[in-house]
Amino acid sequence: MKLQGKVAILTGATSGMGRDTAYLFAKEGAKVVVVGRNEERAKAVIDQIKADGGEGMYIIADSSDVANLHVIVDKTVEAYGTVDILFNNAGVLSMSGIMDVSLEEWNNVMNVNVTSALVLVQLVAPIMKKNGKGVIINTASVASYAAHHGFVAYVTSKHAMLGLTKSIAWELGPEIRCNGIAPGAIHTAMVDSI
């Protein structure tokens, strides 16, 4: 019960790593706010958490839409009064090379993978600072450290996430701790899609 009583927002939490992290956080005692675009999957995650004796709710939101990001934080604070943990895990994959990636695809990847994290941090940091502590976790990738042929938008976004993580830790610490995780290929729905 390491997270007893903590309130945790998890984006991209309806499948894969986000879903499993939501289960783990709930098992450790956190009140879990599952964020995703698919209501059926979001409800299934919360139903499982509640069946296992945990507490949580889901919010349907598109991480590429800044207005949706405000809704996530507002609904969380309305329900639980605070935010202790933010897990920026929402992400999209792009399989286009430099000469083929469209500006629309590029912008979508950047908005979901990086900009949403920045905006959510800006929204929760004042709450965490007021509380005197908070934790932010960002999903980076092994692609944060090396290029891969044909993934220009994704690789660039994950390099940016690494820089964002370092900047958050530097500027908002020591009250707010920020760490990035950099997984390789994990058998999830997103990886299965390619």
Side-chain angles (χ1 to χ4, degrees), residues 37 89-97 101 104-114 140-143 148-158 183-186 188-194:
R37 293 177 297 167
N89 182 63
V92 293
L93 193 57
S94 163
M95 293 176 41
S96 297
V101 68
E104 180 182 11
E105 182 178 1
W106 174 274
N107 288 338
N108 184 57
V109 171
M110 293 302 164
N111 285 339
V112 174
N113 293 5
V114 186
S141 168
V142 293
H148 302 278
H149 182 78
F151 292 84
V152 65
Y154 182 78
V155 167
T156 303
S157 73
K158 291 305 180 178
I186 294 178
T188 63
M190 187 166 83
V191 172
D192 284 348
S193 72
I194 59 167

Side-chain angles (χ1 to χ4, degrees), residues 119-162:
V119 172
L120 285 170
V121 167
Q122 290 174 332
L123 294 172
V124 303
I127 298 166
M128 292 177 173
K129 285 283 190 179
K130 183 178 177 184
N131 293 341
K133 60 185 173 180
V135 175
I136 296 168
I137 306 157
N138 292 332
T139 298
S141 168
V142 293
S144 299
Y145 301 95
H148 302 278
H149 182 78
F151 292 84
V152 65
Y154 182 78
V155 167
T156 303
S157 73
K158 291 305 180 178
H159 273 69
M161 182 58 100
L162 189 60

Side-chain angles (χ1 to χ4, degrees), residues 121 125 129 132-134 136 165-178:
V121 167
K129 285 283 190 179
K133 60 185 173 180
I136 296 168
T165 300
K166 291 177 179 180
S167 295
I168 294 165
W170 183 259
E171 292 188 30
L172 300 182
E175 299 94 344
I176 298 174
R177 186 175 74 244
C178 183

Side-chain angles (χ1 to χ4, degrees), residues 3-161:
L3 302 178
Q4 182 70 47
K6 301 293 185 187
V7 176
I9 296 174
L10 298 89
T11 65
T14 61
S15 65
M17 295 185 335
R19 177 194 59 217
D20 289 350
T21 303
Y23 291 150
L24 178 61
F25 280 15
K27 183 179 177 183
E28 291 292 341
K31 297 171 185 172
V32 176
V33 179
V34 168
V35 179
R37 293 177 297 167
N38 183 299
E39 186 162 12
E40 183 178 338
R41 291 194 323 229
K43 184 179 182 311
V45 173
I46 291 300
D47 287 347
Q48 185 63 54
I49 286 171
K50 289 180 178 178
D52 292 339
E55 185 176 349
M57 65 183 219
Y58 67 86
I59 299 171
I60 301 306
D62 179 350
S63 291
S64 69
D65 183 339
V66 172
N68 281 206
L69 303 176
H70 285 267
V71 169
I72 294 166
V73 176
D74 289 346
K75 285 188 175 182
T76 300
V77 172
E78 181 182 322
Y80 297 122
T82 194
V83 179
D84 300 295
I85 302 165
L86 170 64
F87 181 26
N88 285 310
N89 182 63
V92 293
L93 193 57
S94 163
M95 293 176 41
S96 297
I98 290 171
M99 300 307 293
D100 298 319
V101 68
S102 68
L103 192 56
E104 180 182 11
E105 182 178 1
W106 174 274
N107 288 338
N108 184 57
V109 171
M110 293 302 164
N111 285 339
V112 174
N113 293 5
V114 186
T115 306
S116 67
L118 170 68
V119 172
L120 285 170
V121 167
Q122 290 174 332
L123 294 172
V124 303
I127 298 166
M128 292 177 173
K129 285 283 190 179
K130 183 178 177 184
N131 293 341
K133 60 185 173 180
V135 175
I136 296 168
I137 306 157
N138 292 332
T139 298
S141 168
V142 293
S144 299
Y145 301 95
H148 302 278
H149 182 78
F151 292 84
V152 65
Y154 182 78
V155 167
T156 303
S157 73
K158 291 305 180 178
H159 273 69
M161 182 58 100

